[in-house]
């Protein structure tokens, strides 16, 4: 909305509070250094309307100007959690402001996921961002609004009031009556969790990980149920004796459920003890490799603990009740007589346990197939030919516009920075671009070729004449951009091979022209193609190389002054980082040096979500595999123990150790085969749901499925080999005297 519209809407009686904010990037100068930080312009009632209390100092209040409130994370990182920060003067876009407060760790603003560092009042817009925003123009829509409904007011009522007021606001400055078909649509959404920037980006992955965690829980529960069945089967005679002397089934079930609850309580306690350090490791891993670096704020709270306790109780009841109820359904006469049924290993409880093992194997196989698919996706992404050399590259960003430079002054500034950085020992080449390669962002729009009516989608990268050579993107036809292209009135560009193949096939592209969109979306003056560069990935590794045009950076759209420096060195890139900062400070100490990293780190960060996701699914799959192996081992080992007398008789009648070994292995491999027979079709059906997350591999990838099956067979064989060997070493005479 526009700021005048916000002032109109805040008068609506349907809301008890209406607050506004607008995310922005600031140049922060403090302690002799400058950097870029995300922050929010906020209305004067922002903190009081949200009910957010600071940790130190006070919040922004009506009448405040030239003040700032820091987030806890930014205060800790930038100012080392200085307890005397309140009252200190820092510079925001070269404007001195006083720090008046630090928010609590739990408050990240209304756009969690953007690494918000500070909040400043909207009254500072004319001094710090007059070319970006306006507090007076009714057609300049730049702020977002959150409102707290009054008790008893419905969403529909509030939406109707907002729409009517907003339409009136538009009609008042346009002087025209809006017909119903042209009136804006107003939708109210829940705002208690802020803007879902982070949730929208990784929401699908989080839901899949939650489903994976549930599968692991089910495997653990099936494991527990099968082991309890085996244990209760071993206590059959005890149970029979208790029943024969008058114990009721309900009392026996209650006793066994108590034992199950005790196991669940111990497991939950151990889980809660290791949950915090494991969560810390997970957050560090996620934040260190993700686009949302230093943003994840996962904590163990009362709802998390309550969920864990409820899950422990429910699983203990559900998966302890069936074994307990099954154990009390015994035939008294055979047990008291110690018949063959009592010792043959064919108890109903054991049979049910053998049915649960294939279920564990099927679920484990599903996770192993998923882990294989995501690991192959990660490998495929890491092996993509990006079209440029990624080694020995150091990048950083700066924003002269927020440091007081006018657009006409920036070209001179960039040349000074290039000369100063080029003088650093070890620097081979230096280039400048509007956006980083593989940075997740891009500039694109429709271009029109002569004779065409419909525009053709093209990506643009505004850069220096040395950018392509610094990135080692070769020119395959024509020439590279030259310094003269930055001064002559006729616009020039280098296009990539995809542009030529799609838009200028069977034509010599050199000398051809196209009309790019200008800042208002209209076709601007023609651009002459002077060269063709080899294809290189622009926005991301996943995206196919789009038609791309490289143009001199002074032609970029007005208002966008953030630029990226790319430095190729003969040394380790980070070894010159300090020298680069000093070189920039030598030109202007108020220029921020932000996001300094190697190009390899930039690429790794772009694959951070895929890396985290593949790693976590692989970890969960490994845990599931181990649990399935434990369950299989427990059932086979108990079966062997129950069949000791039978095995002794077989060996006394001439059976060899190999025969006994195969007898036991056959039983376990049959259960594994049953689990695989169920798991493979389930994997083929369910992996289709994650098809959009894969790259270079199909959901029904035979290699991933075959690898998962092979791993499952190997683990099943290993899990049953130990009890099988023990069975093969049974002394027949000892076995015959077993009872």
């Amino acid at each position: 909305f526009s700021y005048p519209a916000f002032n109109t809407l805040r008068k609506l009686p349907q809301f008890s509070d209406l607050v506004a904010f607008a995310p922005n990037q600031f140049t922060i100068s403090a302690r002799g250094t400058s950097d870029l930080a995300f922050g929010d312009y906020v209305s004067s009632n922002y903190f009081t309307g949200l009910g957010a209390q600071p940790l130190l100092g006070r919040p922004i209040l009506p009448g405040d100007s030239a003040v700032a409130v820091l987030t806890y994370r930014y205060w800790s990182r930038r100012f080392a959690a200085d307890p005397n920060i309140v009252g200190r003067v820092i510079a925001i876009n070269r404007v001195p402001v006083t720090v008046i407060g630090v928010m609590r760790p739990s408050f990240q603003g209304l756009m969690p996921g953007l690494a918000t560092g500070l909040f400043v009042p909207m009254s500072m817009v004319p001094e710090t961002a007059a070319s970006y925003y306006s507090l007076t123009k009714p057609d300049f829509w730049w702020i977002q609004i959150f409102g707290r409904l009054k008790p008893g007011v419905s969403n529909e009522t509030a939406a109707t009031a907002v729409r009517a007021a907003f339409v009136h606001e538009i009609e008042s400055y346009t002087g025209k009556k809006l017909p119903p078909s042209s009136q804006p649509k107003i939708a109210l959404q829940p705002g208690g969790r802020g803007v879902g920037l982070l949730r929208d980006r990784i929401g699908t992955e989080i839901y899949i990980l939650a489903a994976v965690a549930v599968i692991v829980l089910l495997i653990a529960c099936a494991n527990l149920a099968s082991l309890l069945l085996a244990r209760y089967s071993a206590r059959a005679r005890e149970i029979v004796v208790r029943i024969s002397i008058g114990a009721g089934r309900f009392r026996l079930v209650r006793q066994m459920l108590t034992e199950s609850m005790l196991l669940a309580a111990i497991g939950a306690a151990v889980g809660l003890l290791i949950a915090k350090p494991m969560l810390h490791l997970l957050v560090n891993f996620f934040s260190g490799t993700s686009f949302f670096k230093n943003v994840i704020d996962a904590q163990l709270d009362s709802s998390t603990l309550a969920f864990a306790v409820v899950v422990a109780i429910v699983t203990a009841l559900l998966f302890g009740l069936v074994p307990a109820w099954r154990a009390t359904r015994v035939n008294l006469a055979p047990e008291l007589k110690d018949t063959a049924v009592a010792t043959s290993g064919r108890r109903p409880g054991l049979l049910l346990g053998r049915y649960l093992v294939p279920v564990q194997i099927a679920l484990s196989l599903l996770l192993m197939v998923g882990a294989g698919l995501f690991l192959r996706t990660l490998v495929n992404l890491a092996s993509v030919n990006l079209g440029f050399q990624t080694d020995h590259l150091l990048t950083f960003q700066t924003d002269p516009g927020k440091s007081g430079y006018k657009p006409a002054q920036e070209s001179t500034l960039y040349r000074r920075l290039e000369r100063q950085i080029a003088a650093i020992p070890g620097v081979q080449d230096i280039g400048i671009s509007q956006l980083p390669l593989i940075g997740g962002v891009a500039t694109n729009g429709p271009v029109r070729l002569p004779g065409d009516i419909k525009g053709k989608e093209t990506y643009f990268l505004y850069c220096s004449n040395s950018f392509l050579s610094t990135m080692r993107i070769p020119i395959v036809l024509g020439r590279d951009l030259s310094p003269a292209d930055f001064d002559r009135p006729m616009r020039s560009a280098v296009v990539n091979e995809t542009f030529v193949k799609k838009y200028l096939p069977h034509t010599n592209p050199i000398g051809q022209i196209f009309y790019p969109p200008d800042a208002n979306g209209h076709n601007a003056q023609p651009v002459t193609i002077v060269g063709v560069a080899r294809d290189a990935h622009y926005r991301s590794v996943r995206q196919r190389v789009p038609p791309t045009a490289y143009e001199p950076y002074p032609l970029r759209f007005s208002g966008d002054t953030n630029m990226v420096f790319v430095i190729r060195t003969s040394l380790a890139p980070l070894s010159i980082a300090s020298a680069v900062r000093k070189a920039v400070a030598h030109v202007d100490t108020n220029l921020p040096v932000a996001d300094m990293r190697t190009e390899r780190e930039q690429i790794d960060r772009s694959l951070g979500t895929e890396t985290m996701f593949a790693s976590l699914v692989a970890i969960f799959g490994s845990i599931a595999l181990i649990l399935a192996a434990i369950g299989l081992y427990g059932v086979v080992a108990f079966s062997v123990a129950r069949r000791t007398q039978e095995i002794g008789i077989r060996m006394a009648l001439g059976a060899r150790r190999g025969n006994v070994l195969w007898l036991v292995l056959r039983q376990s491999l049959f259960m594994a085969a049953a689990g695989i027979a169920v798991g493979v079709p389930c994997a083929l059906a369910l992996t289709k749901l994650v098809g959009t997350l894969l790259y270079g591999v199909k959901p029904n990838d035979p290699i991933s499925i075959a690898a998962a099956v092979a791993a499952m067979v190997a683990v099943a064989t290993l899990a049953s080999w130990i009890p099988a060997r023990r069975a093969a070493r049974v002394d027949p005479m000892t076995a015959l005297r077993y009872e």
Side-chain angles (χ1 to χ4, degrees):
F1 294 87
S2 67
Y3 191 76
F6 166 66
N7 285 328
T8 297
L9 297 178
R10 70 192 306 182
K11 301 174 184 177
L12 293 175
Q14 287 80 11
F15 298 92
S16 59
D17 278 296
L18 214 65
V19 302
F21 80 101
N24 192 39
Q25 194 174 40
F26 300 97
T27 294
I28 310 298
S29 300
R31 294 183 170 183
T33 61
S34 299
D35 70 336
L36 295 175
F38 284 108
D40 289 345
Y41 286 110
V42 299
S43 58
S44 58
N45 65 330
Y46 180 81
F47 293 101
T48 55
L50 295 177
Q53 296 297 321
L55 177 68
L56 300 176
R58 66 173 180 86
I60 294 173
L61 299 173
D64 280 336
S65 183
V67 297
V69 173
L70 309 180
T71 62
Y72 183 89
R73 183 181 289 109
Y74 188 70
W75 172 58
S76 302
R77 180 178 63 84
R78 184 69 166 82
F79 300 97
D82 182 3
N84 300 314
I85 189 65
V86 175
R88 176 172 296 179
V89 176
I90 63 175
I92 298 179
N93 295 354
R94 285 196 169 185
V95 176
V97 301
T98 302
V99 177
I100 61 172
V102 176
M103 297 307 296
R104 300 180 185 275
S106 58
F107 186 79
Q108 302 179 50
L110 291 176
M111 191 172 283
L114 199 60
T116 303
L118 70 162
F119 308 92
V120 296
M122 286 186 175
S123 59
M124 290 187 61
V125 165
E127 300 174 85
T128 58
S131 60
Y132 297 91
Y133 306 123
S134 172
L135 296 179
T136 58
K137 294 180 180 179
D139 57 347
F140 203 100
W141 298 0
W142 59 285
I143 65 175
Q144 299 192 49
I145 299 177
F146 278 65
R148 192 184 302 278
L149 292 176
K150 286 184 177 179
V153 177
S154 65
N155 284 356
E156 292 75 13
T157 301
T160 301
V162 171
R163 182 169 57 252
F166 191 45
V167 169
H168 178 74
E169 174 72 19
I170 295 174
E171 292 175 343
S172 65
Y173 75 78
T174 60
K176 299 178 181 179
K177 186 72 174 178
L178 287 179
S181 60
S182 301
Q183 293 183 4
K185 304 295 186 296
I186 302 295
L188 269 65
Q189 298 177 342
R193 305 290 294 181
V195 179
L197 182 66
L198 178 60
R199 295 191 300 273
D200 293 343
R201 183 179 177 89
I202 61 171
T204 302
E205 289 87 344
I206 293 299
Y207 287 126
I208 292 175
L209 287 177
V212 169
V214 170
I215 291 175
V216 174
L217 176 64
L218 291 175
I219 295 172
C221 291
N223 200 336
L224 176 64
S226 62
L227 294 177
L228 286 176
L229 280 169
R231 185 171 182 272
Y232 295 153
S233 182
R235 297 171 59 185
R237 187 172 301 175
E238 171 196 342
I239 295 172
V240 168
V241 172
R242 288 176 177 270
I243 293 176
S244 64
I245 61 176
R249 176 177 291 183
F250 176 75
R251 183 168 182 175
L252 290 173
V253 170
R254 185 177 61 185
Q255 175 188 340
M256 295 176 185
L257 279 180
T258 302
E259 297 173 1
S260 300
M261 292 293 293
L262 181 60
L263 285 174
I266 295 173
V270 174
L272 292 176
L273 285 176
I274 66 174
K276 190 169 184 178
M278 291 300 293
L279 181 63
H280 182 69
L281 290 175
L282 178 61
V283 168
N284 286 341
F285 176 70
F286 194 176
S287 299
T289 58
S290 169
F291 173 77
F292 299 96
K293 188 174 178 62
N294 299 321
V295 170
I296 305 301
D297 187 27
Q299 298 178 4
L300 293 177
D301 54 16
S302 57
S303 60
T304 308
L305 298 179
F307 175 78
V309 171
V310 170
V311 168
I313 294 174
V314 171
T315 52
L317 290 175
L318 290 180
F319 290 89
L321 182 61
V322 173
W325 186 261
R326 200 77 182 86
T328 58
R329 297 182 62 186
V330 294
N331 194 340
L332 300 183
E335 291 291 350
L336 292 175
K337 293 178 180 179
D338 193 22
T339 62
V341 177
T343 58
S344 67
R346 297 186 178 275
R347 295 182 180 278
L350 282 177
L351 291 176
L352 184 58
R354 292 173 189 169
Y355 293 143
L356 289 175
V357 170
V359 172
Q360 298 178 60
I361 292 175
L363 293 174
S364 302
L365 182 67
L366 175 62
L367 295 188
M368 292 300 294
V369 171
L373 291 174
F374 291 120
L375 288 175
R376 291 203 65 196
T377 292
L378 188 60
V379 171
N380 291 339
L381 288 171
S383 60
V384 169
N385 181 8
L386 299 177
F388 59 90
Q389 294 183 15
T390 61
D391 58 318
H392 293 280
L393 281 177
L394 182 70
T395 71
F396 72 89
Q397 297 186 34
T398 189
D399 193 342
K402 292 185 174 65
S403 297
Y405 286 87
K406 304 299 182 183
Q409 301 173 309
E410 292 178 15
S411 294
T412 302
L413 172 67
Y414 293 145
R415 293 190 181 100
R416 291 179 60 196
L417 289 172
E418 283 183 294
R419 289 194 297 267
Q420 197 71 32
I421 296 173
I424 299 174
V427 173
Q428 295 177 325
D429 295 292
I430 179 171
I432 308 173
S433 65
Q434 175 204 19
L435 295 169
L437 293 185
I438 320 299
V441 289
T443 298
N444 64 314
V447 304
R448 185 173 57 84
L449 297 175
D452 287 347
I453 299 177
K454 187 176 181 181
K456 302 181 184 298
E457 190 69 14
T458 301
Y459 282 66
F460 297 90
L461 185 62
Y462 300 94
C463 58
S464 65
N465 60 285
S466 58
F467 175 77
L468 294 176
S469 59
T470 301
M471 300 301 295
R472 302 295 189 261
I473 302 175
I475 300 295
V476 297
L477 188 65
R479 65 172 177 85
D480 198 349
L481 295 174
S482 67
D485 294 321
F486 288 71
D487 300 322
R488 62 171 58 126
M490 190 69 181
R491 296 178 63 172
S492 304
V494 172
V495 298
N496 67 349
E497 294 172 306
T498 299
F499 183 98
V500 175
K501 292 175 184 177
K502 292 189 68 173
Y503 303 151
L504 297 170
H506 314 299
T507 304
N508 183 1
I510 305 303
Q512 300 290 330
I513 65 171
F514 63 86
Y515 298 89
D518 64 10
N520 297 317
H522 304 296
N523 287 327
Q525 68 182 89
V527 178
T528 302
I529 299 174
V530 299
V532 178
R534 184 168 295 169
D535 282 343
H537 285 256
Y538 182 178
R539 185 173 64 183
S540 68
V541 180
R542 277 183 175 268
Q543 183 191 31
R544 291 184 177 180
V545 178
T548 306
Y550 303 93
E551 291 194 67
Y553 63 76
L555 300 176
R556 69 187 181 281
F557 295 155
S558 61
D560 188 354
T561 57
N562 193 71
M563 296 296 281
V564 179
F565 281 72
V566 184
I567 307 166
R568 185 169 293 278
T569 75
S570 58
L571 308 173
L574 292 178
S575 65
I576 67 168
S578 177
V580 171
R581 293 183 184 277
K582 290 179 181 178
V584 175
H586 181 78
V587 175
D588 189 344
T589 56
N590 289 313
L591 275 179
V593 177
D595 295 332
M596 182 173 286
R597 63 175 67 96
T598 66
E599 183 64 29
R600 187 69 256 173
E601 182 183 358
Q602 176 75 31
I603 296 169
D604 291 341
R605 280 167 58 90
S606 73
L607 299 177
T609 301
E610 287 85 355
T611 302
M612 178 213 66
F613 195 59
S615 301
L616 288 180
V617 174
I619 291 172
F620 277 124
S622 301
I623 294 173
L625 195 63
I626 293 172
L627 289 174
I630 292 173
L632 181 61
Y633 171 82
V635 170
V636 174
F638 185 76
S639 176
V640 168
R642 297 295 298 175
R643 300 175 66 179
T644 300
Q645 189 175 23
E646 174 197 342
I647 293 172
I649 294 174
R650 288 177 179 270
M651 297 186 71
L653 293 176
R656 297 180 180 179
R657 289 189 175 182
N659 301 124
V660 176
L661 191 66
W662 172 244
L663 176 69
V664 178
L665 285 176
R666 183 177 60 189
Q667 171 190 341
S668 60
L669 291 177
F670 177 79
M671 289 187 286
I676 292 172
V678 175
V680 170
C682 291
L684 291 174
L686 295 178
T687 50
K688 294 180 180 179
L689 301 177
V690 298
T692 57
L693 302 178
L694 305 179
Y695 181 86
V697 59
K698 296 181 179 179
N700 57 352
D701 176 48
I703 296 178
S704 299
I705 295 174
V709 170
M712 188 61 63
V713 172
V715 169
T717 303
L718 181 63
S720 57
W721 180 259
I722 298 175
R725 285 190 62 192
R726 187 182 303 124
R729 292 178 178 178
V730 169
D731 184 358
M733 297 306 296
T734 302
L736 292 175
R737 295 195 302 266
Y738 183 69
E739 294 295 339

